[in-house]
Amino acid sequence: MDGVLCSKGFQHFFSAILKAETLSEFIRLLGENIHTISGEVCLGRLEFRSENISLEELGTDSQHCIVFSEEEYAHDECLEKEFETHDNGIVHILLYPVKDHSWSDDEKDSLEFMLQTLFVLCAKTRAFNEVHDLLVTDQLTGVLNRQGLARYCENNLLTGIMGGYTAVFINIRNFKFINQNIGTRSGDKVLKRYAQKLIELAGEDGTVARMGGDNFLAFVRDEEAQDFIRGTAMISVTLGEFVKFDLTSKAGVYKIGMIDTMSDILNAVYMAYAVAKQSLNDRVVYFTSEIFKQSTTENEIIAVFPEALRDEEFRVYFQPKVRMDTGRLCGCEALVRWYRSGGIVPPNDFVPVLERSGAICDLDFYMLEATCKCIRYWLDNDICPVRVSVNFSKIHLHNTRLADDIHDVLKRYNIPTRYIEIELTETSCHEDYDAMLAFVKEMRDRGFGVSIDDFGTGYSSLNMLKDIRVDMIKLDKSFVDSIEEHGDNARIVIRNIVNTIVELGMEVIAEGVEKLSQVNFLEEIGCEIAQGYRFGKPMESGRFTNELISNMG
Ligand code: C2E
Ligand code: MG
Ligand code: MG
């Protein structure tokens, strides 16, 4: 056997075995290539036995496999070598010489050395592959994770093959509530099964990745995209025998272009999904150039906002609230105006964007502070202020210190709480609703006013009246407009809403009043206060200060 390690046969054998990436491949390759050296080393039989290693992993259907065997071998001359795998498995390799041969001690040493070298190299490759799998696989669902997706794109995008694919970003609707109801462990099981169903729907050529939480991204062949999207409209997942969840989703879809990068694809599906998410009716939105334009504008707003806030591009305007019978000023609303590039950007163009990004919280506090500065100026100059209402987005309700934070601003300017009213819009979300009730009570206990803005535009307006006590309800402009547009029916509805609010001991104000006929009707039904162009448009603080002065006389 001298010089066997340098022989051609062994070199071939060695390089073949080194290709093994798993233990089962190691065994298979050993079986396929052992004949190249068996003659040189007088090998009669090669067997594997294993402990603590799953059969599946070993790639055989038993814990014992014969890799190579001559018809006859020297069965009483066994050379046994034991190896421990990194995950506590044990592999025994049993070698027998050919019949009537017995290995010398030197031969045994060479064989052992050879086996050892091979085994260690194989174990390293195997461990490396496991780490690699761990890095690219989502541990909960078994589909690709973000990193896995990046690798997948790296490998496939350059080939141009992705040009025949459609990317679909999917978010499960209300998954948060499933988690809350059944606990996160069961929630995890639901996610796992959901991912399995996505894999089935994506088909053999498809790929699924989990993008964190309940978000998934799938690449499916263009011709299968429609079926995939239809299939994801509702996916039923069962837990045990009796529990079944019908999971619906929102999706953003993008047909991948030949030269797209991974970030092109992700941006496109996210943009399309963002539109689907906001939409009341559309479950699935396909990426278009309009979506791109809109989303680019939104991103620009979000990007320049911090700088614009620092540079004081936002200014506070005040719109009068007026008692219709006397025409006297009885309050005002602080409304933001953005001075940018020589023009004024209307709030409806940026407030919703900032609400989505969360930056509205900074803006609302900025506006509160600007308002407090004005009130301080009026008080210092013996100008009698009116109560100023400041809009606070409902996303503030997640801030458990909101009441304190607002109060702190007033304390800094030494403004009594009665001069500030917080305007909130209705909320349809349960969690927010409870937070809102608590916040309203807390603020009123501290002496602040609270009002409900745009009343009648939400889903739960009337229901809310049962629970909530505020100072003022602001009837949305659409109600006021409907007085003319929808005639008697609208009038009946508005009259009864006003009655209800007044009977409940709250004040009611009509927004967006422009016409005398509206004024007449509102007065007739007992709505005494109005805010609208008929009584004054939103104006700069200087002009509003003059209004306050003339109101004092
Ligand atoms: P909103 O709080 O309901 O404010 C009333 C809006 O109606 C204002 O529009 C006001 O100018 C407009 N308006 C008042 N009277 C009339 C009228 O007679 N006719 C017509 N056509 N419109 C009238 P604006 O100032 O453009 O604000 C739009 C919305 O932007 C506000 O609706 C509010 O939701 C939001 N907003 C404005 N400032 C802020 C702010 O500082 N923070 C937050 N979170 N939202 C704000
Ligand atoms: Mg308002
Ligand atoms: Mg309003």
Side-chain angles (χ1 to χ4, degrees):
M1 211 195 288
D2 275 353
V4 65
L5 289 179
C6 309
S7 76
K8 273 260 178 298
F10 186 79
Q11 282 169 21
H12 168 87
F13 174 71
F14 201 72
S15 57
I17 303 291
L18 282 183
K19 293 194 185 102
E21 293 193 345
T22 62
L23 190 59
S24 54
E25 254 178 65
F26 177 68
I27 294 174
R28 183 177 60 79
L29 289 171
L30 212 55
E32 284 172 13
N33 293 285
I34 194 78
H35 67 274
T36 57
I37 59 159
S38 58
E40 285 179 85
V41 298
C42 305
L43 183 70
R45 183 179 172 95
L46 171 63
E47 285 176 33
F48 271 80
R49 286 180 206 280
S50 65
E51 295 167 38
N52 291 339
I53 298 182
S54 70
L55 296 175
E56 192 187 355
E57 193 181 353
L58 207 63
T60 67
D61 53 5
S62 82
Q63 304 278 112
H64 171 211
C65 83
I66 300 160
V67 176
F68 165 81
S69 189
E70 299 283 9
E71 254 171 50
E72 288 189 288
Y73 60 94
H75 45 81
D76 44 356
E77 289 277 344
C78 178
L79 170 65
E80 182 169 347
K81 187 91 186 120
E82 182 183 302
F83 297 103
E84 203 173 319
T85 64
H86 69 95
D87 46 0
N88 297 329
I90 294 178
V91 178
H92 301 268
I93 304 182
L94 291 81
L95 300 167
Y96 300 86
V98 288
K99 190 168 183 295
D100 300 330
H101 183 83
S102 86
W103 285 314
S104 68
D105 284 349
D106 276 355
E107 281 176 331
K108 282 184 185 164
D109 285 350
S110 295
L111 280 170
E112 277 189 20
F113 175 71
M114 182 182 86
L115 280 179
Q116 176 118 24
T117 312
L118 282 174
F119 195 83
V120 167
L121 286 171
C122 171
K124 272 196 177 161
T125 323
R126 185 166 162 249
F128 175 80
N129 282 317
E130 275 177 22
V131 170
H132 177 261
D133 277 356
L134 215 63
L135 282 177
V136 298
T137 310
D138 175 55
Q139 291 307 295
L140 173 66
T141 59
V143 299
L144 294 180
N145 59 17
R146 277 173 177 278
Q147 177 137 12
L149 184 79
R151 291 268 169 94
Y152 174 86
C153 288
E154 244 169 57
N155 294 337
N156 292 290
L157 281 175
L158 283 179
T159 66
I161 190 179
M162 300 301 288
Y165 278 76
T166 296
V168 186
F169 179 86
I170 297 165
N171 172 271
I172 306 176
R173 296 184 82 177
N174 298 325
F175 190 72
K176 195 166 81 176
F177 298 114
I178 293 183
N179 253 343
Q180 278 169 3
N181 284 337
I182 63 173
T184 44
R185 285 191 88 189
S186 302
D188 282 354
K189 281 189 196 151
V190 173
L191 275 182
K192 198 171 168 177
R193 297 202 183 146
Y194 189 85
Q196 286 310 315
K197 299 242 168 157
L198 285 183
I199 290 175
E200 283 165 29
L201 284 168
E204 262 186 24
D205 295 331
T207 300
V208 177
R210 181 170 172 224
M211 308 300 281
D214 56 351
N215 300 308
F216 293 89
L217 180 71
F219 292 138
V220 284
R221 283 200 154 283
D222 290 342
E223 53 273 24
E224 286 163 19
Q226 278 310 318
D227 283 346
F228 178 81
I229 291 164
R230 228 172 286 132
T232 57
M234 193 183 78
I235 292 185
S236 297
V237 168
T238 46
L239 275 191
E241 252 182 275
F242 305 109
V243 189
K244 178 172 164 235
F245 296 99
D246 292 333
L247 301 170
T248 56
S249 57
K250 289 252 181 179
V253 182
Y254 173 63
K255 155 86 196 82
I256 299 174
M258 287 298 274
I259 51 165
D260 281 339
T261 63
M262 174 162 157
S263 71
D264 291 337
I265 299 172
L266 288 183
N267 283 340
V269 284
Y270 285 151
M271 284 179 202
Y273 166 71
V275 179
K277 187 180 172 193
Q278 281 164 43
S279 164
L280 288 178
N281 307 315
D282 297 328
R283 186 186 85 75
V284 178
V285 170
Y286 290 76
F287 177 82
T288 59
S289 54
E290 282 76 55
I291 289 181
F292 178 77
K293 255 186 252 154
Q294 171 77 18
S295 171
T296 311
T297 315
E298 292 195 2
N299 289 340
E300 269 167 28
I301 290 173
I302 292 165
V304 299
F305 172 74
E307 197 184 294
L309 195 65
R310 232 184 4 256
D311 296 347
E312 303 192 346
E313 289 180 6
F314 296 97
R315 293 199 205 151
V316 60
Y317 270 44
F318 296 106
Q319 185 178 28
K321 293 177 187 172
V322 172
R323 270 194 184 281
M324 284 182 276
D325 52 355
T326 58
R328 275 186 81 91
L329 188 64
C330 63
C332 69
E333 175 173 7
L335 293 160
V336 65
R337 293 293 177 265
W338 186 0
Y339 282 69
R340 183 149 190 91
S341 321
I344 297 181
V345 190
N348 287 335
D349 285 3
F350 62 88
V351 166
V353 178
L354 297 179
E355 260 180 341
R356 286 194 283 279
S357 82
I360 191 71
C361 295
D362 294 334
L363 181 66
D364 287 346
F365 272 100
Y366 179 90
M367 291 290 290
L368 176 67
E369 185 150 355
T371 300
C372 286
K373 282 180 191 165
C374 290
I375 298 177
R376 185 73 259 150
Y377 173 84
W378 298 328
L379 289 172
D380 288 345
N381 290 279
D382 297 322
I383 301 165
C384 183
V386 286
R387 180 183 263 188
V388 186
S389 63
V390 182
N391 291 284
F392 266 74
S393 160
K394 53 192 156 206
I395 68 166
H396 286 280
L397 293 171
H398 297 292
N399 172 5
T400 48
R401 276 189 41 89
L402 180 58
D404 287 330
D405 290 346
I406 293 176
H407 206 160
D408 286 347
V409 178
L410 271 77
K411 284 178 189 158
R412 243 186 294 139
Y413 291 88
N414 192 20
I415 307 289
T417 52
R418 66 173 183 281
Y419 286 129
I420 294 288
E421 178 173 299
I422 303 297
E423 276 192 23
L424 297 169
T425 49
E426 303 167 48
T427 166
S428 52
C429 163
H430 263 292
E431 257 170 58
D432 287 356
Y433 190 64
D434 291 342
M436 182 163 161
L437 293 186
F439 172 70
V440 167
K441 182 170 183 320
E442 167 99 59
M443 292 307 277
R444 298 191 76 213
D445 286 349
R446 293 177 192 228
F448 284 89
V450 178
S451 55
I452 300 297
D453 202 0
D454 306 338
F455 183 84
T457 55
Y459 294 109
S460 51
S461 304
L462 286 174
N463 210 24
M464 192 179 64
L465 289 182
K466 290 196 311 232
D467 308 318
I468 209 158
R469 284 297 151 267
V470 291
D471 300 81
M472 198 175 274
I473 302 270
K474 303 188 76 179
L475 277 192
D476 190 67
K477 182 172 186 307
S478 56
F479 266 120
V480 177
D481 290 341
S482 70
I483 295 171
E484 261 99 31
E485 286 161 22
H486 300 284
D488 286 347
N489 284 351
R491 288 164 190 258
I492 293 168
V493 172
I494 298 169
R495 175 181 290 120
N496 282 291
I497 288 176
V498 169
N499 275 345
T500 308
I501 296 169
V502 172
E503 251 183 69
L504 288 167
M506 296 181 276
E507 283 197 290
V508 54
I509 177 171
E511 287 188 281
V513 177
E514 293 175 350
K515 298 179 185 154
L516 180 63
S517 55
Q518 293 168 336
V519 175
N520 290 340
F521 174 71
L522 289 164
E523 282 197 298
E524 182 193 313
I525 63 168
C527 173
E528 293 163 355
I529 310 171
Q531 174 183 344
Y533 291 173
R534 183 163 186 86
F535 302 100
K537 288 193 168 182
M539 58 191 88
E540 278 180 272
S541 59
R543 256 194 69 196
F544 189 73
T545 302
N546 293 336
E547 293 281 324
L548 279 178
I549 294 168
S550 49
N551 195 50
M552 284 161 63

